[in-house]
Amino acid sequence: MIPAAFEYHAPATLKEATALMRRFGDDAKVLAGGQSLIPMMKLRLADVPHLIDLRRVSGLAYIKEQDGGLAIGAMTTYHELEASSLVRRYAPFIVEAIDLIADVQVRNKGTIGGSAAHADPAADLPALLVALEARINTTGGARARHIAADRFFVDAYTTAMGPSEVISEITLPALPLRTGTSYRKFANKASHFAVVGAAAVVTLGADGLCERVRLGITGAGPKAARSKRAERYLEGKAPTQENFQTAARKAGHGIEFLEDIHGSAEYRRHLTSVFAARALAEAVQRVAD
Amino acid sequence: MATYTGQSLRRTEDERLLLGNGNFTDDIVLPGTLHAAFLRSDRAHARIVSIDASAGLAIPGVVAVMTAADLGDVPNKTMIVKRDGMQEDKMIPHPILATDRVRYVGEPIAIVVAEERYLAFDALEYIVVEYDPLPAVVDPRQAMKDEVILHEDIGTNVVMKVLEGEGDIEEAFGKADHVVGHRYDDPRISAFPMEPRATLASYSPEEKRLTVWTSSQVPHQIKRYLAPMLGLEPDQVRAIAPDVGGGFGRKIELWSDEVALSVLSMKLGRPVKWTEDRRENLLSTHGRAFTSDVEAAINNDGTILGMRFRMIADLGAYFYTSTGGPLSNAAHRVAGPYGIPVMDIEVLGVFTNGPPTGPYRGAGGPEAALLTERIIDVAAGVIGMDPAEVRRRNFISADAFPYKTATGYTYDSGDYQRAFDRALELSEHDGWREAQRKRGPNEPLLGIGVAAAVKASGGSARTRNARADVYVEPSGAVKITTEASPHGQGTETTFAQIAADALGVPYESITILHSDSDMLESGHGTTSSRGLAVAGSAMYEALIQTRAKAAAIAGHILGCAADDVVFEDGKVYSASDPEQAMAFSELASAAYRPEKLPEGLEAGLDTKVSFTLDSNPFGFGAHVAVVEVDRDTGDVKLIRYTAVHDCGILINPMVVEGQIHGGLVQGISQALYEAMYYSPDGQPLTASLMNYAVPIAEELPTLVTDSLETPSPTNAMGIKGVGELPTVGSPPAVANAIMDALAGMGVDNLDTPITPERVWRAMQAAR
Ligand SMILES: Cc1cc2nc3c(=O)[nH]c(=O)nc-3n(C[C@H](O)[C@H](O)[C@H](O)COP(=O)(O)OP(=O)(O)OC[C@H]3O[C@@H](n4cnc5c(N)ncnc54)[C@H](O)[C@@H]3O)c2cc1C
């Protein structure tokens, strides 16, 4: 549990940070909360000759309203999100999901940017980011980019970011009126990461039908992704248990299910439909509340 | 008179530990210390073609790299003793360091020492080991086929056989109304101490003396075994167990790692320190690891006529001293609290390409109870009787003690029926049965499980003896040296309670000294629930002798008979004339002045005792678990847990409750969460907390506990021991509750750990 030797850099600005990234290329990684990176270095699963600490860079931790939605600085911690009334008002499932991530100590350190950049297939927030159609704003590449969440997550531990890019901000668009949200997770008994997590964002129309449905799934496959078949099926239909179940059965479509000691592919497929149905039902329930 | 005994005094140990002022092995800093790291095999089975450490040695700050070739005169094997069922020609001990072959992932090959811990770890990456891979076998049933043989010179992997029992099993099966049978797997699990192993070995070339601080339950054994291996006299080795963060049976060995560190310290003349990391700990040794067939013959009236057990224990790749221990223990312990007349037991021990196994809290008891307690539920199902009722009909009755089981044990005392009924009542067992009947199809399944268990305390005849010294200083302060080596048991508190009452002195005036081989020349440490039963009884005997001498002196001074002297509240007085009194401190001071003493009495108030506990006391536990099972996912939630224990007379009920809580949780965890999984080729799949599951507080319900005290006639204090007892009954109680929840669906067998996916699959298959 002792990392290999590394060089530590503590830039004061994002510009300096990205300059260091360009200079050291593959030999460099940025450090945010360190809750994934440090354990990997200690287990010598990650060899990082140059560690560029973003914690001295000012102006990367904030939560503000923007165009009816939210703009969140990459270095905002789980705890800051959890404690924010803006976040709670915008979409309560963010607070609920964070409450299911690790423990207080980890949440005091871990960041939204780190969770997104790390792209752990079992991480919780990515499911919400795809369901909310978040944008991941990066800097340090040829130009600043605003990457849609469902294009950002490419594969296990792999994102659409280039080698010198850094996440600066994540924006969450405005949600229509009469929208409910829910995140339901089946936790791995050892790590408590998601074996399967389902994030639902459902808007009911004036006619009482499901008007807009977004469903993000994490844990089941190599990356967090939207279940577009399930979404399409439910849109325009009545919010009934039966419709949720049918939609949920389509939620696994296109997922290459993972398999490990915490769940076979078959079990993950089953859990995906169970938890999708539970999240959809709860999201709808919350519109009414 | 008991002022302190029976009181829930706060533990004297806690303040220091809770404030972070503990003194664990890793906290000890000696000048000039070198830091060690082990290079361990990443192959399950391979020949070692070559080891090249030159690049590692070249790193500045790296002081030495030692392999088996550098051991010199030190024999490359750990100490083992022959246990029941072991065969002289098949006792292959664990090497100190691997020579030409590795047989499990994690087996130590080389050890690096450096000026800094970081450098030692860096150097590991520069030591090149060339392997020639061999096929591996990790499943003990597969290993029994001897297709892959671990030690060719003995020609087989099957190296132990224990037979036990009484009566004609075929006859019992022939005449029974029903015979039921099942196979149960009980996988490898980790003892998971909060503090992993840690050792600091320091040889002084000037004093020609080696001091070893080590996270151990048995410092005296460390000394006893280590000295001859290193070519030293016993008094040239001092072993100290400082604060130890849990052991659970897996710190009762002299580990090869400890030997290697000692050899290095002697070679280099400097202290050498090593603290294991969690991965190393998870790969070092395991408990349980049984797979067994069990059959039971039962009549329609609930009478159990006999049981047959065919058990296979996975020993791992080599023997350590305690490796074979659980086998014969399990053979005796399958009897449980029942008067089953016919028992037929065979336990085989098999080498596999896994780390050595050995006793883990319960040491064969939980392995046995899992079988007996689960098959009783199956039998109850067949005759359509409530499992609680089947148990009540087969309990050994309170007036039948001493009771000799068909498995060769003699139980001392107990009232199983009463404790069991108390557990049923406290758990609202009948109310839950009612609730179960009322459950709707959209609610989670509800299951109720019971289990009952008996556990011996004190260990085998070899360890049922103990040393204790009591020394009353002239000031009246009392120093007691015990051979118990506590690591969480609260021994400093409970032993002081006993001593304060025995001498009628304030609790604060007692100091309990332990865990240093220079304080007592021998000892067996804290293992096998022997702390209070054996080491405590030895101390009690020493206290009685001390008091007798003190009474003789006091009688002489006060002018009364020795048996008229009363010790109370720090005072000593004559019962018949209480005016004749003195302070205990005055008496203590007088004891060291020959002119104050009666004729023929030597000065001093110190007593050395060697004590033998002739037979084991047996404790009892009754358990009731209530679970809910999610019909969609198979996830199990433990919603209520009740346990009633009889561990004899309670010295400190709060300390006992703490032991019970810990034991219950370890057992619950075994039923629901824990398993060390290996791939078929011997690679570990659960070598970190990302994959090895242990419960967290929020996953457990409030544990409801109660005690019943039937004094044990085996010892003067009437105590029975509690360390391992709660771990014996809790795994089957939880398993039985889950099976009860699933009974309506036709699911009849699930192996522990009963994971959500296993439940879900069983429900799918039954649909
Ligand atoms: C005990 C424990 C339990 C946990 N349980 C859960 C759980 O249940 N669910 C869950 O989702 N997570 C869990 N986590 C992981 C946790 O959420 C991590 O904090 C998170 O995955 C990474 O965030 P971080 O800020 O710590 O990132 P770091 O560990 O600092 O970095 C992670 C990776 O992202 C990169 N990175 C970080 N910030 C940026 C940025 N702004 N731009 C570009 N790259 C960046 C780093 O270079 C690194 O590769 C757990 C962690 C621990 C220690």
Side-chain angles (χ1 to χ4, degrees), chain A:
Chain A
M1 297 295 208
I2 290 197
F6 57 88
E7 206 61 51
Y8 174 78
H9 307 268
T13 66
L14 207 47
K15 224 186 164 111
E16 278 177 54
T18 53
L20 286 165
M21 294 283 283
R22 271 193 298 276
R23 187 165 137 217
F24 296 114
D26 283 349
D27 277 353
K29 263 193 186 302
V30 294
L31 174 70
Q35 297 305 294
S36 293
L37 186 53
I38 300 289
M40 287 177 62
M41 290 170 67
K42 283 184 157 185
L43 291 165
R44 299 199 178 210
L45 295 172
D47 182 17
V48 184
H50 293 275
L51 192 64
I52 302 166
D53 192 346
L54 291 184
R55 291 173 307 166
R56 303 279 173 85
V57 176
S58 56
L60 280 182
Y62 55 84
I63 303 166
K64 60 187 188 204
E65 282 183 294
Q66 180 177 297
D67 306 329
L70 296 178
I72 299 170
M75 289 294 284
T76 309
T77 64
Y78 290 130
H79 171 72
E80 287 160 345
L81 291 165
E82 206 177 7
S84 156
S85 55
L86 285 181
V87 171
R88 192 176 295 268
R89 215 175 318 130
Y90 168 75
F93 78 156
I94 300 179
V95 176
E96 289 162 8
I98 290 172
D99 192 47
L100 300 174
I101 296 175
D103 48 39
V104 175
Q105 288 85 344
V106 171
R107 298 201 291 269
N108 278 337
K109 291 260 179 196
T111 65
I112 187 171
S115 176
H118 192 52
D120 187 321
D124 294 296
L125 279 195
L128 284 71
L129 296 180
V130 295
L132 289 168
E133 298 182 274
R135 282 189 181 274
I136 320 294
N137 299 335
T138 68
T139 176
R143 58 185 168 79
R145 293 203 290 159
H146 312 279
I147 310 170
D150 70 346
R151 289 219 310 278
F152 181 81
F153 299 108
V154 174
D155 205 343
Y157 308 103
T158 311
T159 69
M161 279 192 293
S164 63
E165 270 179 305
V166 174
I167 302 175
S168 55
E169 183 184 72
I170 292 177
T171 58
L172 309 177
L175 294 176
L177 285 174
R178 292 173 56 75
T179 298
T181 62
S182 165
Y183 180 67
R184 299 297 293 264
K185 160 179 175 175
F186 187 80
N188 169 326
K189 299 286 179 194
S191 71
H192 299 94
F193 275 71
V195 176
V196 167
V201 179
V202 184
T203 307
L204 295 186
D207 52 5
L209 302 182
C210 299
E211 184 176 286
R212 180 177 174 277
V213 179
R214 296 290 179 268
L215 181 64
I217 303 290
T218 190
K223 61 173 182 176
R226 273 172 64 185
S227 298
K228 294 192 177 159
R229 282 221 184 168
E231 295 174 358
R232 271 205 304 277
Y233 175 83
L234 199 55
E235 282 178 352
K237 293 209 174 56
T240 62
Q241 258 328 311
E242 205 185 322
N243 285 334
F244 297 146
Q245 301 276 353
T246 312
R249 274 196 293 277
K250 298 175 189 293
H253 182 82
I255 298 179
E256 289 168 49
F257 288 95
L258 298 174
E259 180 147 278
D260 58 27
I261 58 163
H262 308 290
S264 64
E266 195 187 348
Y267 189 49
R268 277 187 159 85
R269 176 189 298 279
H270 170 73
L271 290 176
T272 300
S273 83
V274 170
F275 283 80
R278 289 180 182 180
L280 289 168
E282 190 173 59
V284 167
Q285 168 76 31
R286 288 195 174 153
V287 183
D289 288 348

Side-chain angles (χ1 to χ4, degrees), chain A residues 1-5 44 120 186 188-193 260-264 266-267 270-271 274-275 278, chain B residues 117-118 121-122 125 277 630 632-633 635 673 677 685-686 689-694 696 699 756-757 760-761:
Chain A
M1 297 295 208
I2 290 197
R44 299 199 178 210
D120 187 321
F186 187 80
N188 169 326
K189 299 286 179 194
S191 71
H192 299 94
F193 275 71
D260 58 27
I261 58 163
H262 308 290
S264 64
E266 195 187 348
Y267 189 49
H270 170 73
L271 290 176
V274 170
F275 283 80
R278 289 180 182 180
Chain B
R117 191 155 183 240
Y118 278 60
F121 275 82
D122 285 347
E125 304 208 336
D277 65 27
D630 184 321
D632 294 327
T633 63
D635 202 13
Y673 300 99
Y677 292 107
L685 305 176
T686 40
L689 282 172
M690 289 295 282
N691 292 310
Y692 189 84
V694 285
I696 54 178
E699 287 162 329
E757 179 160 3
W760 175 72
R761 283 191 178 279

Side-chain angles (χ1 to χ4, degrees), chain B residues 288-309:
Chain B
R288 311 291 180 252
F290 273 59
T291 168
S292 312
D293 291 304
V294 50
E295 290 163 285
I298 189 166
N299 277 349
N300 287 324
D301 66 359
T303 314
I304 301 168
L305 305 181
M307 286 193 182
R308 174 157 60 197
F309 298 83

Side-chain angles (χ1 to χ4, degrees), chain B residues 111-304:
Chain B
I111 171 168
V112 179
V113 280
E115 299 289 347
E116 287 170 33
R117 191 155 183 240
Y118 278 60
L119 289 173
F121 275 82
D122 285 347
L124 290 182
E125 304 208 336
Y126 292 90
I127 302 175
V128 184
V129 180
E130 196 188 326
Y131 296 102
D132 181 9
L134 294 167
V137 60
V138 287
D139 172 1
R141 290 188 187 276
Q142 192 64 36
M144 282 175 69
K145 295 181 187 160
D146 283 338
E147 285 159 6
V148 171
I149 291 184
L150 270 80
H151 304 277
E152 279 87 3
D153 20 341
I154 57 172
T156 177
N157 297 322
V158 185
V159 291
M160 280 186 78
K161 184 176 193 169
V162 173
L163 297 175
E164 188 54 74
E166 197 176 286
D168 183 342
I169 194 70
E170 291 304 340
E171 195 224 317
F173 281 5
K175 70 181 184 204
D177 291 336
H178 308 273
V179 176
V180 294
H182 263 305
R183 172 169 295 180
Y184 295 109
D185 283 346
D186 191 358
R188 284 173 174 268
I189 57 178
S190 169
F192 212 87
M194 290 246 269
E195 182 205 21
R197 295 178 302 160
T199 301
L200 169 61
S202 179
Y203 183 73
S204 158
E206 298 79 20
E207 297 169 22
K208 300 204 175 359
R209 206 154 189 253
L210 174 74
T211 305
V212 181
W213 289 263
T214 191
S215 181
S216 177
Q217 300 173 235
V218 289
H220 291 93
Q221 179 180 316
I222 301 280
K223 164 188 157 170
R224 194 163 68 242
Y225 284 8
L226 195 51
M229 295 183 74
L230 301 174
L232 299 174
E233 293 302 318
D235 65 311
Q236 285 180 281
V237 176
R238 177 182 184 188
I240 301 170
D243 280 331
V244 173
F248 311 111
R250 295 293 66 228
K251 288 182 183 168
I252 63 169
E253 296 287 354
L254 170 65
W255 296 102
S256 68
D257 318 67
E258 294 166 317
V259 180
L261 292 158
S262 302
V263 171
L264 271 164
S265 180
M266 287 181 72
K267 273 182 194 280
L268 302 169
R270 289 176 67 177
V272 182
K273 188 186 218 174
W274 164 70
T275 299
E276 183 179 60
D277 65 27
R278 187 55 66 187
R279 181 182 157 85
E280 278 182 299
N281 184 262
L282 283 167
L283 297 180
S284 60
T285 179
H286 302 131
R288 311 291 180 252
F290 273 59
T291 168
S292 312
D293 291 304
V294 50
E295 290 163 285
I298 189 166
N299 277 349
N300 287 324
D301 66 359
T303 314
I304 301 168

